[in-house]
Amino acid sequence: MRYEAAREFSDLLNTERKGSTQAFHLLGTLPSSTKFGMAALLPHQDINYSHKGEISVDGINIQGTEGRGKVLLNYSQGAIAVTYHDIKDMKRQEYKDLFEGKRLAYIYHNGIDAIGDHAATARDVFNAVEKSFADLRLLVKNLINNLSATHIYITSDHGFLYRRSALQECDKIPRATGEAVEDNKRFVVTGENEDIKGALSFSMEYLLGQANDLNVIVPRG
């Protein structure tokens, strides 16, 4: 969710709900990718990214919701991780049965990313934001009414880029020449410290610690 979308949603909640809603910016991860953002938003001692492209938090693979739930349980025994899809149709008693005794719950909603990350549906990303507003408004209502929730944080694992027109060849920059751990259209993670015209290279030390030797290469701008 982009910051301006978050501000709009914050204003919506302020008009509908009792209490106070505030919006804050958060510096994202590089690369701007779901698995890195999800890892950074979990309580953790260390984050590891293998040369097979797999990411783990405190030694636990977080590819699935179950893995992220295990990380939370290491932090608090009263924790749970679920997806919005799993609970969207639950009734009041089902909410109570699932969340009873829980002090920390991570609920993952993937509506914007699921639409915007694919070329065939990327043009619908603004509709996906509106749909996500509706989903999250209902979720907030259910958490308050069914569980008397008092502190709800809505955050994003990464932002999104949007371009309506197709990229021209002159807009593109050459790929890294060295061996890459991960290589896609938005970034490259590599052990090489390459200098590519039109791109910036950053050490992954800030996220993965001093023991890592990886760099992320992203386009300027």
Side-chain angles (χ1 to χ4, degrees), residues 138-154:
L138 179 61
L139 177 59
V140 168
K141 177 182 177 181
N142 286 335
L143 291 172
I144 293 172
N145 292 347
N146 296 338
L147 301 173
S148 300
T150 55
H151 291 80
I152 301 172
Y153 296 87
I154 301 172

Side-chain angles (χ1 to χ4, degrees), residues 1 6 9 13 24 136-137 139-140 152-156:
M1 185 179 289
F9 186 58
L13 291 179
F24 301 92
L136 295 174
R137 287 162 72 187
L139 177 59
V140 168
I152 301 172
Y153 296 87
I154 301 172
T155 186
S156 298

